[in-house]
Amino acid sequence: SGSMEGEKFRQTVSAARDILEPLNPEDRFNLVAFSSGIEVYSEELQGQQATSQAIHWLETLSAQGSTDINRALLEAAAMTSTERPTYLIFLTDGLPTEGVIDSQEILENLSAVAPKNLRLFSFGVGYDVDTFLLDSLVQEHRGATTYVLPDEALDEVLSTFYAQITTPLLTDLSIDFGDISVYDVFPNPIPDLFEGSQIVLSGRFRQGGSTTLTLSGKIENQVVDFQYNDQFFNNTKPDDPVLAALPQIWATR
């Protein structure tokens, strides 16, 4: 959109180039530019051989118009395949101002068409983004949100992020808490685990005690389980200042 004009637009193109150039031969990609309307690089996903042309296409774009987030997300979701993990990297610096502008409606529209293997990662640039929309999108689609301040190097942030997601360790995570009754657990669903990252899970339980936790997930589409015996849930308020902060972490989530 027009608000991306200048340094933000230059860095966005640079970041996209940093993602496209190291793609593997088996990878597929596409690009969706959105403002008042939508421009799509290709009608279908492309292979590594098309990266040079895609970079040239990016460099012909300009920043102008409003922000049709709803249509951009639907266009991207329509290209995904259920055959393999799919990452949607969504970059915006503003609020939806064109087409569907209600955040809840945008969420519902994407959820209706997005396949279960879609992972959505949002990047909010500057102070004018719809944080409710971005955080809700990634929560529903097992991703993560990154907020980039105006004086931060957007291309460096995106490049670091992409290097991380190229090494997924465990996908489709779930936890069985055994004999402990838990509720209001966030994030839900649990996002994928990547090399060098961590997931903080917060929730509430009704009655403490000792239990066996079972962490389940997939490694290259093979289901695996990890058991952690004798995990104790304490009914009393902890003295440790780190543990004492857990209620605030849960409330924030």
Side-chain angles (χ1 to χ4, degrees):
S1 59
S3 59
M4 291 286 288
E5 187 175 10
E7 182 64 13
K8 280 195 289 188
F9 187 75
R10 185 198 67 76
Q11 287 200 3
T12 301
V13 174
S14 174
R17 184 188 301 112
D18 289 343
I19 290 175
L20 290 171
E21 287 177 343
L23 288 179
N24 298 312
E26 299 84 4
D27 291 333
R28 292 182 293 171
F29 75 93
N30 207 347
L31 301 166
V32 179
F34 62 99
S35 53
S36 300
I38 300 293
E39 288 187 71
V40 181
Y41 168 65
S42 174
E43 294 183 358
E44 56 187 20
L45 297 177
Q46 297 295 303
Q48 183 193 44
Q49 73 283 353
T51 55
S52 296
Q53 287 181 317
I55 292 171
H56 175 72
W57 179 83
L58 274 173
E59 292 171 344
T60 65
L61 299 176
S62 59
Q64 57 186 346
S66 301
T67 311
D68 193 342
I69 288 176
N70 181 74
R71 188 178 167 195
L73 292 174
L74 294 182
E75 288 277 354
M79 301 174 197
T80 59
S81 167
T82 58
E83 300 171 359
R84 60 171 78 184
T86 300
Y87 298 141
L88 171 56
I89 302 173
F90 171 50
L91 176 69
T92 181
D93 73 332
L95 306 170
T97 56
E98 188 80 17
V100 178
I101 61 174
D102 179 73
S103 297
Q104 187 61 43
E105 189 174 350
I106 294 173
L107 289 168
E108 293 171 356
N109 290 344
L110 181 61
S111 294
V113 299
K116 291 183 178 180
N117 64 313
L118 177 70
R119 302 293 186 258
L120 193 151
F121 297 87
S122 293
F123 287 82
V125 183
Y127 299 119
D128 299 327
V129 295
D130 186 339
T131 56
F132 166 78
L133 175 61
L134 298 190
D135 290 347
S136 300
L137 282 169
V138 303
Q139 180 173 315
E140 289 191 13
H141 301 283
R142 296 179 182 257
T145 310
T146 301
Y147 292 104
V148 185
L149 298 177
D151 58 349
E152 285 188 271
L154 173 60
D155 49 355
E156 293 180 11
V157 172
L158 271 170
S159 298
T160 301
F161 152 79
Y162 189 71
Q164 184 183 74
I165 69 167
T166 55
T167 313
L169 300 181
L170 203 60
T171 64
D172 296 328
L173 277 72
S174 64
I175 296 181
D176 183 341
F177 290 87
D179 297 330
I180 301 296
S181 175
V182 302
Y183 61 106
D184 289 346
V185 178
F186 299 100
N188 182 26
I190 305 174
D192 296 342
L193 181 64
F194 299 96
E195 184 177 301
S197 69
Q198 65 176 358
I199 299 171
V200 177
L201 201 66
S202 59
R204 308 176 80 180
F205 61 92
R206 300 191 185 280
Q207 183 66 37
S210 182
T211 188
T212 295
L213 293 182
T214 303
L215 171 65
S216 300
K218 292 181 180 178
I219 298 176
E220 297 182 351
N221 288 324
Q222 298 295 317
V223 177
V224 293
D225 294 325
F226 302 91
Q227 285 197 338
Y228 302 92
N229 300 319
D230 302 323
Q231 300 300 305
F232 190 73
F233 285 62
N234 196 338
N235 284 320
T236 61
K237 186 175 181 179
D239 295 327
D240 187 320
V242 175
L243 296 179
L246 289 176
Q248 285 74 29
I249 294 174
W250 173 84
T252 302
R253 291 297 179 92

